[in-house]
Amino acid sequence: MLKLKSWRSVVAGLGVVAMAMALSYGAVRADGHEKLKVGFVYVSPIGDAGWTFQHDLGRKAIEEKFGDKVATTYVESVAEGPDAERVIRQLAADGNQLIFTTSFGYMNPTIKVAKQFPKVTFAHSSGYKRADNVSTYLARFYEGRYLAGIIAGKMTKSNTLGYVAAFPIPEVVRGINAFARGVRSVNPDAQVRVVWVSSWYDPGKEREAAETLIAQGADVLMQHTDSTAVVQAAQDRGVFAVGYHSDMSKYGPKAHLTASTHVWDQFYIDKVQAVIDGTAKSDDTWGGLGAGMVQMSPLGDMVPEDVRKLVEAARGEIAAGNLHPFAGPVLDNKGETKVPEGQNITDKGLLTMQFYVDGVVGDLPK
Amino acid sequence: MDGFETTINILVGTIRAGTPLVFAALGELITEKAGVLNLGVEGMMLVGAVSGFIVTVLTGSPYLGILAAIAAGVLMALIFGGLTQFLLTNQVATGLALTIFGVGLSAFIGLNYIGTPIQGLQPIAIPGLSEIPVIGPLLFNHDFLIYLSIALLVLVSWFLYKTRAGLILRAVGESHDAAHAIGYSVVKIRLLAIMFGGGMGGLAGAYLSLVYTPQWAENMTAGRGWIALALVVFATWRPARVLIGAYLFGGITILSLHVQAAGDSVSSALSIIPNPVGEWILAVINSSHLLATLPYLATVVVLALISRDATKIRLNAPASLGRPFHPGA
C-alpha cells in the first residue's frame, strides 16, 4: 500500500511540474516578455447568439487587435454563486492579469477574489459594487429599445405590441418603458402588452408567451429573454419581431425587423490597452449608442425607407446626446408625473425604475 | 379579441404544452408499473431532443428525426437498465446519474447545432373536420405527434389492463419474487419496460426540439422530465389520469400567460368577485413570480390531496417499485 501511495504522489508531483512548465512556456514570448493573460467568465455556453456570444465576440476582438501580445482564456457555463468564486480564483491563480466576469451574479465572488489578488485587474458586467481593482461596465440597452419602439410603432397595424419579459427588475422594466416611449413617439394610439415568463431562458415558455401575445392581437413582438423562440413564433404566425442580444434574422427572415445588440469589442480593447500601459483604474462604464456599445442589427427588407430615415435620425440624436429616451415629461401609466417637463431622467432614476410608463398596459408585478 | 377565440387559443396551447409531458409520463408509467423507478427522464428527453434535431438537420426529415430520438432514448435507457438490472445498482442513484449524464452528453453532441434553424413538423389539418368551428381547430388541426400521444395513451391503457402481457408486467411490478417463481423472466420484462420508457422519453424530447420550439438549445427541456415523474404519482399510475394531469399543468401555464397579456381587462373582470377573494386573486396575478409557480403549486396540492388517501396510493403503486431483484436471492 505504502509503495502504491508514494508512486501516486510521484506521478502527481511530476504532473504538477509538467503543468507548471507548460503554463510558463505558454506565457513567455519570444522576446522574453510575458504575454498579458486575459480571462473571461461566461454564465452560459457561447452558442450562436445571445449575451455570452456577444461577450465572446469582444474576446475575439482582443485577440485580433493584440495578436500574440495577449493570451485569452474563457470558462463558459459557470453557475452564479460558489462555483463562480472557484472559477474566478482559479483564473487569477493561473496568472491572468485582467479578468472579465460577465454576469450579475458574479458580483460578490468577483469582489471577494479581487481582495485576495490586489494586483489583478477585474471588470464586472452589470453589477454595482466596485473596488480599487474592480471596475463595472454595462451598456445602455434601453437606447436600442427606444429605436426598436420607433420601428414597431410604425410597423404595427393592430396598434398592439407584445413584450416577452423575464423578471420585473429595473433593467427589464427600463427596456419595456423605453420601447413604449419609442412606440408612442411615432404612434400615440399603440399599446404595449407584457407577459412575464419568470425565466431568462426557457424556449418553450417564451414560445407560449409569444403565441399568447399574438392571440391577444399583437403584431410586433419584442423580447427581453435569451432564446430565439419569440422570433421563431413570429415567423410561424406571420407577425414581426425584434431580436435581442444578437442578429436573429436567420430564425425568422420574414419576421425579423432588427435586433437590439450589444457590442463590447472597443470596451474590451481599451481595457486591455489600459492594463498593458499600466493606466487601468477602477471606473464605471455605461455606454450606449454613442459609444457603440449598443447597436441595431441591419433592418429587414420589410422596413420602409421613411421608417429607416426616422430611426437613423433618432439614433444620431441619441448618440449625440440631444435626445434622451426618457426626456420629461415622463408619465407613468396611472397618469402620475415621474419626470417633469424640461428635465431628463437621472441615471439613478434609470437604475431604480419600478413603474410602467404611459402606453404599457396593466400593473407592474411586485 | 373576443373571449371565445381566446378560449380556443388557451385550449390549443394547453394541448401543445401538455403533449411532451404525456409522452414522458406514459413511458415512466410503464417503467414504474414493472417495478422500476427511473429518475433519468430529463436526461433521456434531452438526448432524444438533440438526436432528433441533428438527424432532422442532416436528413431534412423530421420523421427520421423522431425515429432517431426514440432510438437515442432507448439507448440511454439501456445504460440505466444494464446497470440496475444486471449490476443491481441503486435505482435512484443510477437514475439521477442518467439525468446528469444526459444533460452533459446532449450539450456536448449538440454543440455545433446550437442555433441551426430547421423547418419543424407542421400541423396536419384533417380535411373537412378541421373546418368545423370550435371543434376543428381544437381537435383536428395538430401535428401528428399530438394524435400519436392520444393513440399511445389508449394503447398503453389497453395493454396494461386488457392484455395478458400487461398483466404479467403488472405482476412483475407487484411482486417480482412471485413472478419469478412462476417462471417469468423478471429482468427481461423490466428491461423491455425500461426501454419503452426511454423511447417515450426520447419522443418527448423530439416533440420539444422538432415541434414545440424547432431548435436545439442546451437544457431546453427546462425541468419537464421532473414534472413528468411527478405526474405519474399524481395520476396514481393510471394512464388516463396522466393525460388529465399533463393538460392541467399545461393549461395553468398557458392560462397564467394569457391572464398577464390581457392585463387591465382581467382586473376589471375580476372586480365582480367579492373581496377579499377578488383582491387575493388580483394579488396573485400581479406577481409574475407567484403566477409562474401556479402549475407547480397545483401539482403539489393535488399530490397532497391524493396522498391523504393512503389506501389509494397503496392499491395503485406497484408494490416492488424501486426494489432490486436478484434471481438467486
Side-chain angles (χ1 to χ4, degrees):
Chain A
M1 270 329 265
L2 189 75
K3 213 172 185 181
L4 186 69
K5 230 178 187 172
S6 59
W7 173 238
R8 271 191 190 154
S9 58
V10 168
V11 171
L14 278 175
V16 168
V17 171
M19 255 166 67
M21 279 169 69
L23 280 173
S24 57
Y25 178 77
V28 175
R29 280 199 299 152
D31 57 9
H33 284 90
E34 275 192 12
K35 274 186 178 184
L36 179 73
K37 290 179 75 180
V38 184
F40 287 81
V41 188
Y42 298 146
V43 73
S44 60
I46 294 168
D48 189 58
W51 173 261
T52 294
F53 179 75
Q54 295 300 118
H55 283 280
D56 199 58
L57 288 180
R59 182 184 67 81
K60 287 180 180 145
I62 293 176
E63 293 214 313
E64 177 114 336
K65 167 92 181 167
F66 295 97
D68 62 355
K69 281 194 240 137
V70 297
T72 67
T73 47
Y74 62 86
V75 187
E76 56 184 344
S77 298
V78 177
E80 302 183 329
D83 222 21
E85 191 184 319
R86 182 181 58 74
V87 170
I88 298 167
R89 181 175 294 120
Q90 188 63 44
L91 282 173
D94 280 349
N96 287 286
Q97 284 132 330
L98 174 58
I99 296 172
F100 294 102
T101 55
T102 63
S103 188
F104 179 77
Y106 300 157
M107 180 167 68
N108 290 330
T110 304
I111 296 287
K112 205 167 162 189
V113 177
K115 263 189 204 139
Q116 297 159 350
F117 293 88
K119 284 188 184 141
V120 177
T121 305
F122 294 84
H124 173 241
S125 180
S126 76
Y128 52 83
K129 288 188 186 168
R130 279 171 287 280
D132 285 343
N133 56 339
V134 182
S135 300
T136 50
Y137 64 103
L138 192 60
R140 293 180 186 264
F141 307 111
Y142 66 90
E143 295 184 350
R145 294 189 184 276
Y146 182 83
L147 296 184
I150 294 177
I151 303 172
K154 279 287 186 186
M155 298 300 285
T156 179
K157 294 202 167 55
S158 65
N159 281 345
T160 303
L161 306 152
Y163 205 111
V164 179
F167 294 100
I169 56 172
E171 162 71 26
V172 180
V173 175
R174 191 159 67 231
I176 295 170
N177 286 344
F179 179 71
R181 304 249 325 156
V183 168
R184 282 286 171 110
S185 73
V186 296
N187 185 346
D189 299 324
Q191 287 187 321
V192 180
R193 290 189 180 273
V194 185
V195 169
W196 300 94
V197 291
S198 296
S199 169
W200 289 111
Y201 181 81
D202 180 345
K205 207 159 176 208
E206 291 169 49
R207 169 90 190 199
E208 287 304 344
E211 300 262 2
T212 302
L213 286 162
I214 295 166
Q216 301 257 353
D219 61 356
V220 183
L221 299 180
M222 182 82 184
Q223 66 177 90
H224 198 149
T225 48
D226 291 348
S227 92
T228 54
V230 175
V231 174
Q232 277 185 322
Q235 170 85 3
D236 289 351
R237 298 276 174 260
V239 302
F240 295 128
V242 177
Y244 177 45
H245 293 310
S246 313
D247 190 325
M248 295 181 172
S249 54
K250 70 175 171 185
Y251 301 93
K254 282 186 291 187
H256 195 262
L257 294 172
T258 180
S260 168
T261 72
H262 36 95
V263 179
W264 309 98
D265 304 17
Q266 195 55 47
F267 172 77
Y268 284 156
I269 288 171
D270 290 348
K271 205 75 191 172
V272 169
Q273 191 63 54
V275 171
I276 290 176
D277 297 344
T279 56
K281 56 182 191 305
S282 169
D283 52 12
D284 177 38
T285 308
W286 199 19
L289 291 165
M293 285 173 86
V294 175
Q295 292 178 15
M296 306 305 282
S297 74
L299 271 54
D301 293 337
M302 68 295 265
V303 181
E305 196 51 40
D306 60 320
V307 179
R308 288 168 186 268
K309 285 204 179 110
L310 212 57
V311 172
E312 187 45 41
R315 200 199 68 77
E317 290 288 295
I318 294 174
N322 299 329
L323 171 65
H324 194 295
F326 291 96
V330 176
L331 300 182
D332 71 7
N333 68 351
K334 307 269 183 287
E336 198 183 314
T337 305
K338 291 291 184 179
V339 180
E341 178 138 23
Q343 291 181 17
N344 286 341
I345 197 166
T346 58
D347 275 1
K348 183 159 184 286
L350 286 170
L351 290 169
T352 56
M353 191 173 281
Q354 276 297 2
F355 60 90
Y356 279 154
V357 295
D358 199 25
V360 185
V361 178
D363 294 313
L364 180 63
K366 276 141 211 128
Chain B
M1 176 81 15
D2 64 296
F4 199 63
E5 212 173 311
T6 308
T7 315
I8 301 272
N9 272 317
I10 291 174
L11 291 176
V12 171
T14 298
I15 295 174
R16 264 203 318 257
T19 297
L21 299 174
V22 174
F23 283 131
L26 276 182
E28 179 68 15
L29 185 133
I30 289 287
T31 309
E32 289 191 16
K33 270 288 182 190
V36 181
L37 181 66
N38 184 355
L39 296 182
V41 182
E42 181 93 355
M44 300 189 300
M45 278 174 76
L46 277 168
V47 172
V50 73
S51 312
F53 186 81
I54 291 176
V55 168
T56 306
V57 171
L58 295 180
T59 64
S61 160
Y63 295 97
L64 285 178
I66 290 167
L67 290 180
I70 295 173
V74 169
L75 281 179
M76 284 289 284
L78 276 176
I79 298 176
F80 174 86
L83 287 169
T84 57
Q85 300 308 306
F86 296 114
L87 302 177
L88 302 184
T89 57
N90 180 298
Q91 293 180 7
V92 172
T94 311
L96 285 173
L98 191 71
T99 284
I100 298 168
F101 175 61
V103 170
L105 181 71
S106 61
F108 177 66
I109 54 182
L111 207 57
N112 293 325
Y113 292 89
I114 297 175
T116 313
I118 56 159
Q119 177 74 18
L121 204 60
Q122 296 303 305
I124 304 166
I126 296 176
L129 291 175
S130 60
E131 317 278 300
I132 308 172
V134 189
I135 305 175
L138 208 52
L139 299 180
F140 302 114
N141 191 12
H142 292 301
D143 52 86
F144 112 94
L145 284 182
I146 288 184
Y147 304 124
L148 182 68
S149 72
I150 306 294
L152 278 169
L153 174 80
V154 175
L155 206 70
V156 164
S157 287
W158 172 79
F159 167 80
L160 271 182
Y161 297 105
K162 300 280 183 224
T163 67
R164 188 178 167 79
L167 187 66
I168 295 168
L169 181 100
R170 285 188 288 144
V172 168
E174 291 302 333
S175 168
H176 46 224
D177 292 325
H180 176 68
I182 52 173
Y184 291 117
S185 169
V186 173
V187 170
K188 198 177 91 193
I189 291 166
R190 285 193 168 164
L191 215 51
L192 286 173
I194 292 168
M195 284 164 66
F196 180 79
M200 292 291 269
L203 188 56
Y207 188 81
L208 289 173
S209 69
L210 299 179
V211 185
Y212 202 50
T213 46
Q215 59 170 314
W216 164 249
E218 255 179 53
N219 240 333
M220 68 183 299
T221 49
R224 287 178 180 82
W226 298 107
I227 299 291
L229 274 164
L231 280 178
V232 177
V233 185
F234 176 103
T236 55
W237 293 271
R238 292 273 183 173
R241 291 187 197 150
V242 162
L243 189 79
I244 297 170
Y247 285 176
L248 182 73
F249 182 84
I252 295 174
T253 311
I254 302 297
L255 197 63
S256 67
L257 296 175
H258 272 272
V259 163
Q260 287 188 49
D264 48 350
S265 51
V266 172
S267 19
S268 55
L270 279 174
S271 60
I272 53 164
I273 300 174
N275 287 333
V277 180
E279 254 175 30
W280 185 77
I281 296 174
L282 210 61
V284 173
I285 289 170
N286 278 338
S287 158
S288 63
H289 298 291
L290 264 181
L291 214 53
T293 60
L294 272 186
Y296 303 91
L297 219 56
T299 312
V300 170
V301 167
V302 177
L303 271 179
L305 288 178
I306 290 171
S307 321
R308 263 174 20 140
D309 194 348
T311 36
K312 210 173 203 171
I313 288 281
R314 224 174 300 133
L315 277 177
N316 287 301
S320 302
L321 184 60
R323 281 171 46 204
F325 171 73
H326 189 255

